Amino acid sequence: MAHELWAKGDAYEAYVGRWSRPIAARFLTWLAVPPGRRWLDAGCGTGALTGTILTTASPAQLTGLDPSTAFLTTASSRLTPPPATRTTSPDPAAPRSGSVAGADLGLAGSSTASGAGPDVDLGTGTVSGAALNSAGSGPGGGSNTALGLAGAGARPGVASSAGAGPEAAFGHPGAGSGSGAVPGVGAGVAPGARFVAGDAQALPLADAAVDVVVSGLALNFVPSPAAAVAEFARVTAPGGTVAAYVWDYADGMAMMRYFWEAAATLDPAAAELDEGRRMSICSPAALSTLWSAAGLTAVTTRPIDTTAVFADFDDYWTPFLGGTGPAPSYVASLPTDHRDALRDLLRVRLPHTADGSIPLLARALAIRGTTT
């Protein structure tokens, strides 16, 4: 397999993102973070964990960061509330597309807002890289401190030119502008919340900028997980929480276990592509080592289980045709006859209930630690 595609947010959501939502809810219950804290969701993907934080954790501020602008666009579309019904003509002076009110988001970029104007319409307009990631020269100067943004170029490894490799952040070769600007996304989905394109190994945040860093189902795709966890610890204030969860590919993610075992039956070479073999940090011991090496204390791990219920075989199989993720990318590489043989073998092997549904275990491995 030449590469793994991460450029289709909706395809990823259908494949595995939807099963992350119940895991995210259990994960946040376990963390039990008090309300009013500053959060970073590193590797937010299509927004399963980000959305759950917004609805259950009462954050003071929330940043979702991912290298894939396609994923960020999907996340924003799922989390942005519908526009309010207007009974009068809109104020032409109110900030709209391309114009962000700095007071609510705490951005000091070069938007047209004064830093005190109302967020009449958070909208989905294009936001410049300056507004997202730089200290800027606008009238809202200095308010970047609220979100802990260190300014454009302040962190090494943050891409600064179009197409300049945001995929390196999580090993995704997907598309993205690389500049920190996310067309149609940047303003955020709620007061104090926003999405940013960026690199987990070189976070565009100042030291101790947030109270909580979380990462859901992303850390195992980072080229250097140790560098990412060190960054998580750096940007978290003393006494804060750094936590993550990854799929238990080797044992507890049944939808993938059935897939790769069937694939290896027909093509023994496919076994080398199995996440259960490749994702070396996806175990409690490996995760604990990462957290301890980053200087985190009170390190604790636990499994979090849910049941992925597929309505029928097509509900299980169709997402594997989306081309997003290791297994779907493998399917995309197969000739038609081999793909059909794999489909038919899975149809025979998967367990079915009387109504035709397919219930499968989906287990994540969670870890948390505290900064000193």
Side-chain angles (χ1 to χ4, degrees):
M1 181 166 53
H3 60 272
E4 298 169 3
L5 302 177
W6 296 100
K8 302 175 183 177
D10 288 339
Y12 175 83
E13 179 70 15
Y15 171 50
V16 75
R18 55 179 165 162
W19 310 123
S20 176
R21 297 180 193 281
I23 296 290
R26 292 170 172 82
F27 174 69
L28 294 177
T29 298
W30 177 54
L31 295 185
V33 174
R37 299 303 191 265
R38 301 164 299 169
W39 290 70
L40 169 68
D41 181 4
C44 64
T46 55
L49 180 53
T50 316
T52 310
I53 294 167
L54 278 173
T55 57
T56 67
S58 300
Q61 296 163 352
L62 172 59
T63 298
L65 177 142
D66 200 272
S68 169
T69 55
F71 277 14
L72 294 175
T73 299
T74 298
S76 180
S77 69
R78 291 178 179 276
L79 300 182
T80 302
T85 301
R86 295 184 185 274
T87 57
T88 60
S89 299
D91 179 0
R96 297 186 61 81
S97 66
S99 177
V100 181
D104 204 15
L105 292 177
L107 300 179
S110 56
S111 70
T112 60
S114 67
D119 275 333
V120 174
D121 187 353
L122 285 175
T124 55
T126 299
V127 179
S128 72
L132 282 170
N133 276 342
S134 66
S137 58
S143 62
N144 265 3
T145 305
L147 285 174
L149 300 182
R155 295 294 305 158
V158 178
S160 59
S161 61
E167 64 274 13
F170 290 101
H172 303 347
S177 70
S179 65
V182 185
V185 177
V189 296
R194 74 211 180 95
F195 291 105
V196 175
D199 185 341
Q201 300 165 118
L203 295 170
L205 278 74
D207 294 355
V210 297
D211 304 302
V212 188
V213 175
V214 291
S215 181
L217 308 179
L219 189 59
N220 45 289
F221 292 104
V222 180
S224 175
V229 178
E231 278 289 270
F232 297 171
R234 179 187 66 79
V235 303
T236 304
T241 298
V242 175
Y245 58 91
V246 295
W247 288 125
D248 181 8
Y249 292 113
D251 185 44
M253 195 54 178
M255 63 174 287
M256 297 179 188
R257 291 273 39 83
Y258 276 100
F259 175 87
W260 287 116
E261 288 168 6
T265 297
L266 300 174
D267 173 18
E272 298 303 316
L273 304 175
D274 183 347
E275 291 104 320
R277 292 192 180 193
R278 294 194 297 125
M279 304 303 183
S280 60
I281 70 164
C282 294
S283 72
L287 290 169
S288 294
T289 297
L290 282 174
W291 256 241
S292 296
L296 297 161
T297 61
V299 175
T300 307
T301 64
R302 61 159 292 181
I304 302 178
D305 291 356
T306 190
T307 302
V309 180
F310 299 89
D312 52 29
F313 180 76
D314 285 343
D315 189 33
Y316 172 86
W317 174 249
T318 301
F320 284 95
L321 305 179
T324 295
S329 295
Y330 172 75
V331 172
S333 74
L334 299 175
T336 301
D337 58 342
H338 191 151
R339 184 167 61 248
D340 291 347
L342 177 57
R343 177 199 62 202
D344 294 343
L345 181 56
L346 280 164
R347 191 190 300 272
V348 170
R349 288 189 174 183
L350 285 166
H352 294 75
T353 61
D355 66 0
S357 63
I358 303 171
L360 298 174
L361 172 67
R363 172 177 292 152
L365 301 173
I367 184 165
R368 61 180 295 169
T370 303
T371 51
T372 56

